[in-house]
Amino acid sequence: MRLAWREAAKGLGRTSPNPAVGAVIVSAAGKILACAHHRAAGQPHAEIEAMRLLKKPEHARGATLYVTLEPCSTQGRTPPCVDEITRAGFRRVVIAAIDPNPKHGGRAVEILRKAGVEVRAGVLESECAEINRAFNKWIGTKIPWVIAKAGMSLDGRITRPPSEGRWITSAASRAHAMKLRAQVDAILIGAGTLRDDNPRLTVRGIPEARQPWRVVLSRSGDLPADAHLFTDEGRDRTLVFKDRPLGEVLRELGQRDITSVLIEGGSRILGAAFDQKLVDEVRFYLAPLFLGGPKVSVAGLGAGVAEDAVRIRTPRYEKIGGDICVSGML
């Protein structure tokens, strides 16, 4: 199952709105016959990919299928995987996490057992479910998983003096954050960030990565027409929301099958997200600088008392060059 988990991780950022899933087929003698992962929505699911990698279809008979998520049991973009699994003649199917979709979670387990297949569920369940935390939230609520991201000085400032360029964190930290961009469906900023920085919000340096949607929130809708987001080759994947509450925007993005949103600023947008408790995860990069100045990373109303503060449940600290990345779920 750990091998299947590593396979599933290969699909992160590529399968939305489907979950990332890995599968491994093992013979009755304990030999690994095939490993595969789901590559993109509309393409074969991990179980089917693994079965197609077998040298002969009959090798599935009597074998064990390990899969990180319960096989699908309904017709979607592809036929139900559970039907092909039962026809293939597997003796045993080992499942990590049950499908969180309330419409058919657990149904495949029943179908397989009625067909005489031995089923075991819950193996490495938490690890495999963690990979699909965005899908798991979205499939039940239609609201995307929200990640707050910022690069800042140790005193929480997000801008350098105008004569010194825009970057606060190191190139290593920016490359690290680029991997996060490659795993989300959309990147969201405010109008102030668009005017001040004219960002591209593209994924760079990661082969075959999908370009996320770019989302801009603006009170007035008065935005520079020559901004990169409106003129580059990804302009058709730029959305502007005028004078709309953040929570309402997130719900509309969820209706568009956007399962994860990375909020990259600025301080007003991040403040609203934390004030309204819309953030699920944080990724803050701290550079060893003290810059001062008025622009803090997170504005908003803030907590009235420390007891009401938003807290990271299990914080992680990672040293990246001279910077520190603080991350975790809220």
Side-chain angles (χ1 to χ4, degrees):
M1 188 62 80
R2 291 196 185 281
L3 182 55
W5 179 89
R6 288 196 290 271
E7 284 291 322
K10 295 176 182 178
L12 277 174
R14 304 173 190 272
T15 63
S16 184
N18 288 357
V21 182
V24 174
I25 297 174
V26 179
S27 72
K31 180 182 178 182
I32 294 174
L33 302 177
C35 303
H37 65 279
H38 182 40
R39 296 179 181 276
Q43 294 190 21
H45 291 182
E47 308 93 310
I48 307 306
E49 286 272 19
M51 290 163 62
R52 291 178 180 178
L53 289 175
L54 293 174
K55 292 182 178 179
K56 295 181 179 179
E58 56 265 30
H59 287 173
R61 296 205 166 274
T64 297
L65 170 67
Y66 292 84
V67 61
T68 57
L69 184 68
E70 178 187 6
C72 67
S73 55
T74 57
Q75 176 72 43
R77 294 180 179 87
T78 59
C81 291
V82 70
D83 294 346
E84 292 203 40
I85 291 170
T86 53
R87 283 195 296 267
F90 285 100
R91 178 183 65 85
R92 186 168 173 251
V93 175
V94 181
I95 299 167
I98 296 299
D99 191 334
N101 189 333
K103 293 181 179 179
H104 49 74
R107 187 165 175 261
V109 174
E110 296 178 10
I111 294 171
L112 289 168
R113 284 176 174 160
K114 286 180 180 178
V117 180
E118 179 188 341
V119 179
R120 182 182 175 191
V123 177
L124 294 186
E125 180 178 9
S126 59
E127 291 94 327
C128 293
E130 177 75 5
I131 287 180
N132 289 313
R133 53 189 180 273
F135 172 80
N136 294 344
K137 176 189 177 183
W138 173 79
I139 197 66
T141 66
K142 290 302 177 183
I143 298 173
W145 181 264
V146 177
I147 307 169
K149 176 252 176 181
M152 67 188 80
S153 61
L154 281 178
D155 53 345
R157 267 51 181 184
I158 57 173
T159 56
R160 295 179 70 101
S163 61
E164 297 187 4
R166 56 184 289 202
W167 302 118
I168 295 175
T169 56
S170 66
S173 288
R174 297 197 296 275
H176 190 272
M178 194 61 67
K179 296 177 184 177
L180 181 60
R181 277 189 182 179
Q183 293 178 2
V184 299
D185 292 343
I187 304 169
L188 185 149
I189 62 171
T193 299
L194 179 70
R195 296 189 190 100
D196 294 344
D197 298 340
N198 192 17
R200 296 182 183 275
L201 304 184
T202 54
V203 177
R204 301 179 293 278
I206 301 176
E208 300 181 9
R210 295 189 314 161
Q211 171 57 47
W213 287 90
R214 287 96 59 94
V215 181
V216 184
L217 269 59
S218 172
R219 287 174 176 169
S220 66
D222 183 17
L223 300 171
D226 60 349
H228 293 311
L229 299 190
F230 306 133
T231 58
D232 66 12
E233 60 184 15
R235 57 188 176 275
D236 292 339
R237 290 180 66 81
T238 298
L239 301 171
V240 176
F241 291 89
K242 178 183 174 182
D243 198 23
R244 298 272 295 278
L246 179 57
E248 183 179 301
V249 169
L250 291 173
R251 285 191 292 274
E252 181 166 329
L253 294 177
Q255 292 299 320
R256 291 173 176 258
D257 287 353
I258 290 173
T259 68
S260 56
V261 174
L262 177 64
I263 300 180
E264 289 208 10
S267 61
R268 185 179 65 83
I269 297 293
L270 284 171
F274 280 106
D275 282 347
Q276 297 170 44
K277 294 183 168 49
L278 299 173
V279 179
D280 299 295
E281 181 179 352
V282 297
R283 185 81 64 90
F284 280 12
Y285 296 86
L286 280 72
L289 305 171
F290 293 90
L291 291 172
K295 286 203 172 181
V296 295
S297 58
V298 179
L301 299 174
V305 294
E307 187 176 291
D308 295 335
V310 177
R311 298 177 186 272
I312 300 177
R313 188 172 67 242
T314 52
R316 297 187 298 272
Y317 306 93
E318 182 178 357
K319 190 172 185 294
I320 306 173
D323 300 340
I324 296 292
C325 177
V326 182
S327 62
M329 315 301 168
L330 302 185

